[in-house]
Amino acid sequence: MAASPVLASAVLGTILALAAPELTPIHRAGYCAFYDECGRNPEVNVSLVSSNVPCLYNQPARLATGAVLQLLRSVCPELVRGDNDTWVCCTLRQLTALQVSVALSGTVLARCPSCSRNFANLYCNNICSPNQSLFTNVTRMVNRTTVLGVQEAVVEYQCFYSQRYADAAFDSCKGVRLPATGGYAIDTMCGIYGARLCTTQRWLNFQGDKNNGLAPLQIDFQLVPNGTQPGDGIEPLDERAWGCSEALSSDQQPCSCQDCAESCPPVPAPPSPAPPFRLGAADGALVICVMLFGFFALVFLTALMCRRKKKKAAVPAPRRGCAVQLGTCSHHFLASVFCHWGTLVAGHPLPVLVVAVVVAAGLSAGMATLQLTTDPVELWSAPGSQARQEKAFYDEHFGPFLRTCQVIVTARDQRPGATYDSVVLGAKNFSGVLSAEVLQALLELQDQLTGASVWVQEEGREVTLQDVCYAPLNPSGPSLADCCINSVTQYFQNNRTRLAMVATQTVGKETGTVDWHDHLIYCVNSPLSFKDITALELSCMAEYGGPVFPYIALGGYPDSEYTQAEALIITYSLNNFPRSDPRHKWVLSWEQRFLEVVRDFQRNHSQNLSISFMAERSLEDEINRTTGEDIPVFAVSYLVVFAYIALALGEYTAWRRVLVESKVTLALGGIAVVLGAVFASMGFLALLGLPSSLIILEVVPFLVLAVGADNIFIFVQEYQQSQREAGETREQHIGRVLAQVAPSMLLCSLSEVICFLLGALSSMPAVRTFALTASVAIAFDFLLQMSGFVALLALDARRQEAARFDICCCCGTEKEGPTGPGLRVLRPFLSHFYTPLLLHRLIRPLVVLLFLFFSFAGLYLILQVSVGLDQEIAMPEDSYMLQYFSDMNQYLPVGVPTYFVTTSGYNFSTPEGTNGICSSAGCDDNSLTQMIQYATRFPNVSYLAIPATSWVDDFLDWLNPTGRCCRIHLFGNLTGQFCPSTSNDISCALGQCLNATRRPTVEEFERFLPWFLHDLPTLQCAKGGLGAYDTAVSMDANGTIVASRFMAYQRPLRTSQEYTAALRAARALAENITGTLRQVPGTDPDFRVFPYTVTYVYYEQYLTVVGEGLFTLALCLVPTFLVSFVLLGMDLRSSVATLITITMILLDTVGIMALWDIPYNAVALINLVAAVGISVEFVSHLTCAFAHSTKPTRVERAAEATITMGSKVVAGVAMTNLPGIVVLAFAKAQLIQIFFFRLNLIITLAGLAHGLVFLPVLLSYMGPSPQATSGDSKGSAGPDMGLAVGNPCFEGSVRQQR
């Protein structure tokens, strides 16, 4: 180790020997190396500040007196020794220039006092130290002719610092933040390296680079290892450097935690997500489900064994109790009412039909006022929800969220990358998409978009980009150059000439060419620079005046290697307007033009570039487009269903009677009844002011058609299979049949109506509107079937008896009765094969165990169903948005901005209030911005990647008296008014707003804040608030802050589950901040902080959709049970069987959703609510038939119900749904394929399996026992009597026969 200082000394000695040491022959304490100014540096062409250089002067330091001493106390207090004992190597001119330079850095670094002081001391010692010659060695000078004659101007010198001192100064500054960007101040002070790769040497090298636009001459900083002496009398500067956690004095504060890691209290890591529930090494949920299955299977088998033992003993049939007698009476009453009603309608079919048509048509006319809701916010987010209220608050105070148009450009596989060897910056790899050809193409696209205009017919005017663009630095009267456009070509200000610039540059002994590659390398690492360090001398700032951060303009790069980016991103930010504002049409029209231009560009460059794009309107446009394109698919689906009903209703006895026994007209009439009910319900609700939606137009007709077709099949087939009694008229026959089937139809319809009414309690607007529409539609459908369809059946029966042809009733054939029963396939199959096998004593236990297994498997799989709806699913398969979503997920390095919004009730102007928000020195450790910064340390939990911008912090820096930002005219016509930093008016030379670095008083805060918010950022004052913060603070007429926002960035979010988790995490963070700020004195108890971003209003539903879904479905099951219990004569067992079966259908449906990749969301919930209604059709008719059967045993009753009602359920529900569902598989929209084809297919098949397989077996075990009557038995009914048993109309006709 001892050899190291010797080696270092030898190297430094060599450097000194090569550096023309004769220019500074004396290296001694009290001697200068240069002094005073000798004019501008002839080697600096472009400089953002004065480039005056010092004169060569290797003589003793001068005594500081008068104005020099006074200014020195302010700028370099560490150099002041006393009034008559302070020596310096600088003049007043140099000290004034130094003050300007320190002020420039102070606006960025002042938030961390120790860093600001250390950085100022570097230059104070370099320029004014009386011991300047000890650590300075002039290496180059030029002769300059001035008024004083020929002078030697220093243009380059060496500066020797000890490694300890330089490292300490760098360490104090490396963590200082830029509140306006969320990044680090060192990003602007380390050139091409940025904060990530910056070191002490690189930091100082940039400060001494004459090409950086700020340094007036070249400084070669030499860092001397500790304990090493360079020799030749040189002693490295080794002054004290304050650590960032140290206070400069007892009345000052150390740097805050956000700027200095050493100042941070221990921040415990947030708890990681709970691990999956496990029992040992096994999945805990699976183990529990298996155990539950085993338990219930054991209970079932035990009960079965006990039941068989009991059967050996004679058990008398239970007597009829009061509940049973009451149920029988209620059933007889309903049957009697429907019998008389049916007879009445059948006797007067035309008047009834006319009344039904008039009423349905009248209500349907209300559809003229129907309003279709297409806005996703209005569809899925309740007006009273937290997200909607927060959105309304944000829009009221800050305006609607900006609209975005974005293009992502990537190279085709055949475009190889290349290595560029920069003479200034070294070798860098460039991806295939970062080429001059591609950049020129991007400029071509942006030129077309900049010049794009569109005629808005409604406004009678042409709209251009400048009419709708977001112009942060010139919001009142923007030009095209002011529009906020972020792209990689903005590093060249979207200028072809600058992109094509080439220059020759010499670095050391190497001379080479610099071009756009060098400028780009520099800008992506130092995006806030006004001038690069190459001979091109170009700015990195965008044409509109703001910075272009590489994580906004580039994507798909590894580890901040920006030049290896695989994607170039162009983002147009547009103003947003309420839908009622005429300008909303402007921006929609321009976005449409944007899409047209980009599509043309995509076609023209498809050979070598892959281009994806979107506009703010794209999502809604594509959803509406696919809905329109899939209307023919829905039409075909309905036509298939109509054709099936028309053909299946007929019962054909002979070929010659086909046209007579056909039921096409009746089927079309039944379909008209169903559609009339749907249209009448929509018209009725439209008259009440309830809007509808496309999903209602797609789902409700399907649901009502399934319910209505089932009732049609039950009624018509029961009529066809029922024989007219002797002496019974056609009208009485129809009335008797209606009495047989109407109670069952009433049971189903009433259950469904109440079910959907309770479903309307959902907070989701789309679910609520769907449930209300479905409820009213099913009610209207039942009423129209009881009136209009009964009348149609009566007319059709009259036609058939007159042997008139169907459809063409003017023609007919000879009258003759049917030659026998019609062609029947399903019922004989059920009677002779299916039912005996299903209800076999060995098969029944297996069926129960199998469906029990399915249910608990479904219960386990429910836990595996993903919750959410990814945006891709809402798009059609051929949508251009799918490619955009894919590229966005693959390439975008940051997520959307997230604002933390404060409401009224917080006093920012008090010192306590200010400290509760800010994050600079003196601010609270648990301030708003500090807590957000803590959260960004754990992005996997908080989902935040970049800390919040803070107008409070930049306002405090703007007020700092060491800078030029906040000044007041002290005299003249503008006395008391704001003096901009660019003004050199003598009236504000000493007019700093504050006389010391401190918190402003309440009066000062309220006076100066509006000045700050409207101050344009400049090189002299980069902290001006215009553009960054002018819209971040909302004040009332009295100047009181009623709302403010602080912008952070989320990490990239890929799935709806991540978006939901990000919302949950942001709300938890905001709650913690709210609790902290409410403890600040003077804070209103109702004050709160909430997070807001444009996506929250869509994803909030997923925070509660599971609980809400369980609640809604449970509510739907309650009326199903209660109505069954009442209408089945207080039959608890049958009602419980109905409830169990429908619950099992839902369990299996949701379980299969997990297997078929169907996520759970509001659309799925709508279908599940509809599934309850369809399940009622599968279950309740059969249960009703079982309950009213008079067979002596449960098995026989179950068999009779399966045979008589099973065929009608299969024909009326399953076969009505399945053909139409299968057609939906050909829809373009993934949403329809997944939630209408897949999910409805699952619902139908699960309902059919449970209704036709499980329910008969369940009823054979737990159905009510046959009741013994208190009097004589009336005997048993024959197998073909169906629901006629117990029908008072039937009994009356029998008495008449006797």
Side-chain angles (χ1 to χ4, degrees):
M1 296 296 293
S4 296
V6 175
L7 178 61
S9 297
V11 172
L12 290 171
T14 302
I15 293 173
L16 285 171
L18 296 173
E22 67 275 1
L23 296 179
T24 314
I26 301 174
H27 297 287
R28 186 186 308 166
Y31 273 71
C32 304
F34 43 75
Y35 182 81
D36 207 355
E37 291 184 349
C38 280
R40 292 185 68 255
N41 188 341
E43 298 178 355
V44 176
N45 298 320
V46 178
S47 179
L48 303 174
V49 295
S50 172
S51 60
N52 289 339
V53 293
C55 302
L56 187 65
Y57 179 81
N58 193 204
Q59 298 181 32
R62 306 285 186 90
L63 181 66
T65 58
V68 172
L69 181 61
Q70 183 180 354
L71 189 55
L72 191 69
R73 292 182 190 277
S74 171
V75 179
C76 303
E78 281 78 6
L79 296 181
V80 177
R81 298 291 180 266
D83 290 346
N84 298 310
D85 194 25
T86 299
W87 303 84
V88 293
C89 288
C90 58
T91 62
L92 182 62
R93 286 190 300 175
Q94 286 180 286
L95 198 55
T96 302
L98 176 61
Q99 182 185 35
V100 173
S101 179
V102 169
L104 285 177
S105 63
T107 58
V108 177
L109 302 177
R111 54 184 285 108
C112 178
S114 55
C115 165
S116 180
R117 188 69 261 155
N118 289 337
F119 190 77
N121 282 345
L122 292 178
Y123 288 97
C124 284
N125 282 294
N126 283 2
I127 296 171
C128 290
S129 171
N131 302 319
Q132 188 185 70
S133 66
L134 280 178
F135 55 87
T136 302
N137 189 56
V138 177
T139 56
R140 275 196 317 118
M141 63 87 180
V142 295
N143 292 324
R144 293 298 307 271
T145 301
T146 67
V147 293
L148 300 178
V150 177
Q151 293 183 297
E152 296 175 320
V154 176
V155 294
E156 184 174 352
Y157 67 89
Q158 293 174 321
C159 195
F160 294 84
Y161 288 171
S162 72
Q163 188 74 50
R164 183 208 63 79
Y165 171 64
D167 285 345
F170 173 73
D171 289 343
S172 70
C173 291
K174 67 182 181 181
V176 178
R177 293 275 185 175
L178 281 178
T181 68
Y184 293 94
I186 210 77
D187 274 323
T188 67
M189 306 171 71
C190 210
I192 62 171
Y193 299 104
R196 188 175 65 92
L197 299 176
C198 196
T199 63
T200 304
Q201 185 68 66
R202 290 169 174 173
W203 177 56
L204 291 173
N205 286 348
F206 179 78
Q207 311 311 313
D209 192 335
K210 66 181 179 182
N211 295 312
N212 66 13
L214 297 172
L217 74 169
Q218 188 71 30
I219 307 174
D220 181 13
F221 286 96
Q222 299 291 329
L223 302 188
V224 181
N226 299 330
T228 301
Q229 293 297 325
D232 200 23
I234 292 181
E235 297 180 10
L237 183 66
D238 194 15
E239 298 290 325
R240 177 186 179 182
W242 279 269
C244 61
S245 59
E246 296 181 85
L248 298 182
S249 63
S250 58
D251 60 342
Q252 295 189 32
Q253 298 290 331
C255 303
S256 69
C257 171
Q258 192 168 40
D259 300 315
C260 175
E262 291 82 357
S263 297
C264 292
V267 180
S272 56
F277 172 54
R278 307 192 72 82
L279 291 174
D283 186 330
L286 179 60
V287 171
I288 290 176
C289 288
V290 170
M291 293 175 64
L292 287 174
F293 167 71
F295 172 75
F296 281 101
L298 182 63
V299 169
F300 167 70
L301 294 174
T302 304
L304 191 62
M305 296 298 295
C306 295
R307 184 170 184 170
R308 287 183 176 177
K309 291 180 180 180
K310 287 184 180 180
K311 278 188 176 181
K312 295 180 180 179
V315 179
R319 306 295 297 176
R320 298 176 65 182
C322 294
V324 176
Q325 294 181 28
L326 179 61
T328 303
C329 291
S330 65
H331 176 69
H332 276 256
F333 171 75
L334 286 175
S336 177
V337 170
F338 283 118
C339 177
H340 290 96
W341 170 256
T343 304
L344 177 64
V345 172
H348 307 84
L350 289 178
V352 171
L353 200 57
V354 169
V355 171
V357 169
V358 170
V359 172
L363 291 175
S364 299
M367 291 186 67
T369 65
L370 183 66
Q371 295 181 343
L372 278 182
T373 301
T374 58
D375 185 355
V377 174
E378 298 293 337
L379 278 175
W380 306 114
S381 183
S385 69
Q386 182 178 342
R388 285 289 293 277
Q389 291 177 346
E390 291 169 353
K391 180 181 185 300
F393 183 91
Y394 184 93
D395 290 351
E396 177 187 355
H397 293 286
F398 308 110
F401 214 86
L402 292 176
R403 301 176 71 91
T404 298
C405 295
Q406 197 165 67
V407 181
I408 302 176
V409 179
T410 57
R412 297 288 184 189
D413 294 338
Q414 64 266 25
R415 286 191 69 93
T419 299
Y420 177 75
D421 194 3
S422 171
V423 67
V424 180
L425 309 170
K428 278 286 184 180
N429 292 324
F430 276 70
S431 64
V433 75
L434 272 174
S435 67
E437 176 189 353
V438 176
L439 295 182
Q440 290 286 356
L442 290 192
L443 283 176
E444 172 195 336
L445 172 61
Q446 291 175 87
D447 286 345
Q448 292 176 11
L449 290 172
T450 301
S453 62
V454 61
W455 181 262
V456 180
Q457 189 65 40
E458 294 84 349
E459 297 294 316
R461 61 161 293 172
E462 195 170 52
V463 172
T464 63
L465 176 60
Q466 72 183 79
D467 294 318
V468 296
C469 74
Y470 171 59
L473 297 179
N474 188 14
S476 57
S479 65
L480 285 172
D482 296 318
C483 292
C484 180
I485 304 170
N486 284 290
S487 74
V488 68
T489 55
Q490 281 282 33
Y491 290 130
F492 306 89
Q493 296 75 51
N494 284 342
N495 186 295
R496 279 188 173 81
T497 302
R498 293 175 184 173
L499 180 62
M501 283 180 64
V502 176
T504 300
Q505 184 159 350
T506 300
V507 178
K509 295 182 179 180
E510 184 179 358
T511 299
T513 301
V514 292
D515 60 10
W516 66 269
H517 292 89
D518 303 84
H519 182 65
L520 182 63
I521 296 171
Y522 183 86
C523 289
V524 294
N525 288 288
S526 187
L528 296 171
S529 297
F530 287 88
K531 178 178 176 292
D532 68 16
I533 61 173
T534 73
L536 299 174
E537 298 181 336
L538 296 176
S539 171
C540 294
M541 304 299 281
E543 183 181 20
Y544 71 90
V548 179
F549 296 105
Y551 54 79
I552 300 295
L554 300 169
Y557 46 80
D559 299 326
S560 299
E561 293 293 338
Y562 300 116
T563 59
Q564 298 180 36
E566 297 178 6
L568 307 183
I569 304 167
I570 307 174
T571 305
Y572 284 75
S573 297
L574 308 181
N575 289 317
N576 204 350
F577 307 99
R579 289 178 180 258
S580 57
D581 191 319
R583 291 173 296 175
H584 182 71
K585 182 66 177 176
W586 296 7
V587 73
L588 287 179
S589 300
W590 193 88
E591 286 178 1
Q592 183 61 45
R593 181 62 182 145
F594 167 88
L595 294 174
E596 294 169 359
V597 171
V598 178
R599 281 194 187 98
D600 291 340
F601 180 79
Q602 182 186 49
R603 283 191 292 269
N604 296 335
H605 295 82
S606 59
Q607 294 298 319
N608 59 341
L609 297 177
S610 174
I611 298 158
S612 59
F613 55 94
M614 62 80 68
E616 192 73 26
R617 64 176 293 162
S618 293
L619 195 63
E620 191 171 337
D621 282 354
E622 287 296 279
I623 293 175
N624 293 339
R625 176 180 71 85
T626 187
T627 302
E629 290 181 351
D630 284 326
I631 286 177
V633 177
F634 275 94
V636 171
S637 174
Y638 285 124
L639 288 175
V640 170
V641 173
F642 295 166
Y644 164 75
I645 295 173
L647 295 175
L649 269 185
E651 187 177 49
Y652 308 102
T653 59
W655 284 105
R656 64 180 180 274
R657 290 183 56 82
V658 167
L659 294 179
V660 174
E661 293 172 338
S662 170
K663 300 291 183 185
V664 174
T665 304
L666 181 62
L668 293 178
I671 293 169
V673 165
V674 172
L675 296 180
V678 172
F679 294 150
S681 63
M682 291 183 178
F684 174 68
L685 294 175
L687 291 173
L688 296 179
L690 188 71
S692 188
S693 64
L694 292 172
I695 196 170
I696 291 175
L697 298 180
E698 293 165 347
V699 179
V700 170
F702 230 86
L703 172 65
V704 180
L705 187 61
V707 174
D710 187 30
N711 290 343
I712 289 171
F713 272 90
I714 291 173
F715 187 20
V716 173
Q717 290 188 0
E718 188 68 27
Y719 179 76
Q720 291 170 338
Q721 295 165 10
S722 174
Q723 300 298 318
R724 188 177 303 171
E725 304 297 334
E728 188 178 41
T729 65
R730 181 176 58 251
E731 289 76 13
Q732 290 173 327
H733 185 198
I734 292 174
R736 176 168 59 84
V737 171
L738 184 65
Q740 295 166 18
V741 299
S744 174
M745 294 162 63
L746 176 64
L747 167 62
C748 292
S749 298
L750 188 59
S751 298
E752 291 157 356
V753 168
I754 299 177
C755 162
F756 289 124
L757 279 177
L758 292 176
L761 296 175
S762 171
S763 63
M764 294 183 190
V767 177
R768 182 173 62 252
T769 306
F770 162 77
L772 279 175
T773 306
S775 175
V776 175
I778 291 174
F780 283 174
D781 179 59
F782 178 78
L783 295 176
L784 288 175
Q785 285 182 331
M786 290 299 102
S787 54
F789 188 74
V790 173
L792 287 172
L793 181 65
L795 292 173
D796 188 73
R798 184 185 304 175
R799 175 199 61 79
Q800 186 170 350
E801 290 180 9
R804 300 276 182 183
F805 292 158
D806 192 20
I807 302 178
C808 185
C809 57
C810 299
C811 304
T813 186
E814 295 181 4
K815 290 186 179 182
E816 59 175 319
T819 59
L823 179 63
R824 299 173 185 174
V825 176
L826 190 56
R827 180 161 178 160
F829 170 76
L830 293 175
S831 177
H832 300 305
F833 301 102
Y834 177 76
T835 303
L837 177 64
L838 175 68
L839 297 178
H840 191 277
R841 66 185 186 86
L842 296 179
I843 300 298
R844 288 190 297 148
L846 296 178
V847 169
V848 172
L849 292 176
L850 180 64
F851 277 81
L852 199 61
F853 170 78
F854 286 158
S855 294
F856 285 106
L859 181 62
Y860 171 72
L861 289 173
I862 284 175
L863 303 177
Q864 318 306 317
V865 175
S866 62
V867 178
L869 177 63
D870 292 334
Q871 298 178 94
E872 293 89 334
I873 295 178
M875 298 292 100
E877 291 180 331
D878 62 347
S879 174
Y880 65 89
M881 289 292 289
L882 293 180
Q883 182 62 45
Y884 171 78
F885 287 138
S886 175
D887 288 349
M888 180 184 72
N889 291 335
Q890 182 176 356
Y891 297 120
L892 263 62
V894 295
V896 296
T898 295
Y899 292 96
F900 287 84
V901 182
T902 65
T903 63
S904 61
Y906 187 84
N907 192 348
F908 289 84
S909 59
T910 64
E912 296 84 0
T914 301
N915 292 337
I917 299 294
C918 63
S919 60
S920 54
C923 301
D924 297 340
D925 287 340
N926 58 352
S927 68
L928 179 147
T929 47
Q930 192 61 64
M931 292 181 72
I932 296 173
Q933 196 271 337
Y934 292 152
T936 60
R937 297 184 185 181
F938 310 99
N940 290 335
V941 177
S942 69
Y943 294 89
L944 295 176
I946 298 177
T949 60
S950 171
W951 62 266
V952 175
D953 285 275
D954 277 339
F955 177 49
L956 295 178
D957 293 343
W958 184 82
L959 289 172
N960 193 298
T962 62
R964 291 170 56 91
C965 293
C966 188
R967 299 184 300 165
I968 305 172
H969 288 281
L970 298 180
F971 53 85
N973 296 331
L974 301 176
T975 301
Q977 296 185 28
F978 175 62
C979 178
S981 58
T982 54
S983 173
N984 292 318
D985 195 320
I986 193 173
S987 66
C988 45
L990 299 176
Q992 275 69 23
C993 296
L994 301 183
N995 54 11
T997 303
R998 58 175 174 82
R999 294 289 185 264
T1001 64
V1002 173
E1003 293 76 16
E1004 290 170 337
F1005 190 102
E1006 294 176 350
R1007 179 187 180 189
F1008 300 143
L1009 179 60
W1011 293 359
F1012 161 72
L1013 295 177
H1014 295 92
D1015 186 22
L1016 181 69
T1018 62
L1019 182 65
Q1020 291 77 12
C1021 176
K1023 293 288 184 174
L1026 182 64
Y1029 302 121
D1030 57 308
T1031 58
V1033 182
S1034 177
M1035 294 182 284
D1036 62 16
N1038 298 321
T1040 302
I1041 298 175
V1042 294
S1044 69
R1045 65 183 185 186
F1046 302 83
M1047 184 181 73
Y1049 273 95
Q1050 293 177 342
R1051 68 175 178 83
L1053 305 177
R1054 312 300 188 197
T1055 65
S1056 59
Q1057 290 78 24
E1058 289 186 343
Y1059 279 103
T1060 306
L1063 168 58
R1064 185 183 293 111
R1067 283 188 172 174
L1069 176 59
E1071 281 295 320
N1072 289 337
I1073 295 173
T1074 299
T1076 300
L1077 295 186
R1078 283 179 178 173
Q1079 299 174 12
V1080 175
T1083 302
D1084 192 306
D1086 294 329
F1087 164 81
R1088 60 185 289 259
V1089 177
F1090 65 85
Y1092 177 77
T1093 191
V1094 67
T1095 60
Y1096 285 171
V1097 74
Y1098 302 108
Y1099 290 100
E1100 184 192 40
Q1101 57 181 300
Y1102 302 124
L1103 297 176
T1104 59
V1105 71
V1106 173
E1108 183 156 341
L1110 292 173
F1111 174 74
T1112 302
L1113 293 175
L1115 278 183
C1116 288
L1117 292 174
V1118 170
T1120 303
F1121 171 78
L1122 293 178
V1123 173
S1124 298
F1125 180 69
V1126 172
L1127 294 185
L1128 292 179
M1130 310 300 177
D1131 185 348
L1132 180 62
R1133 290 192 176 191
S1134 297
S1135 303
V1136 170
T1138 300
L1139 184 63
I1140 290 174
T1141 306
I1142 295 176
T1143 303
M1144 291 174 70
I1145 292 173
L1146 290 176
L1147 284 174
D1148 289 353
T1149 298
V1150 181
I1152 298 173
M1153 285 172 60
L1155 297 177
W1156 210 351
D1157 293 328
I1158 303 174
Y1160 173 74
N1161 47 54
V1163 182
L1165 177 57
I1166 287 177
N1167 282 276
L1168 291 175
V1169 172
V1172 176
I1174 295 175
S1175 300
V1176 168
E1177 294 294 320
F1178 280 114
V1179 173
S1180 294
H1181 288 302
L1182 198 141
T1183 305
C1184 189
F1186 176 89
H1188 295 142
S1189 173
T1190 58
K1191 293 292 185 181
T1193 66
R1194 291 189 180 96
V1195 174
E1196 290 178 295
R1197 296 166 71 197
E1200 181 187 41
T1202 303
I1203 294 168
T1204 58
M1205 192 56 69
S1207 61
K1208 300 178 179 66
V1209 169
V1210 171
V1213 184
M1215 295 308 298
T1216 300
N1217 281 4
L1218 285 175
I1221 291 173
V1222 170
V1223 173
L1224 295 181
F1226 300 97
K1228 289 184 178 180
Q1230 298 181 81
L1231 200 68
I1232 293 175
Q1233 292 178 12
I1234 293 174
F1235 296 104
F1236 295 95
F1237 165 63
R1238 293 186 193 176
L1239 191 49
N1240 279 293
L1241 183 62
I1242 294 170
I1243 291 167
T1244 302
L1245 294 179
L1248 181 63
H1250 285 78
L1252 210 59
V1253 180
F1254 176 72
L1255 181 60
V1257 174
L1258 181 64
L1259 290 172
S1260 72
Y1261 282 124
M1262 68 170 292
S1265 302
Q1267 303 291 327
T1269 60
S1270 57
D1272 296 334
S1273 174
K1274 294 180 181 176
S1276 62
D1280 289 332
M1281 297 184 70
L1283 293 177
V1285 178
N1287 187 333
C1289 276
F1290 172 72
E1291 293 170 2
S1293 65
V1294 171
R1295 282 194 295 271
Q1296 290 176 8
Q1297 182 180 352
R1298 290 175 180 169

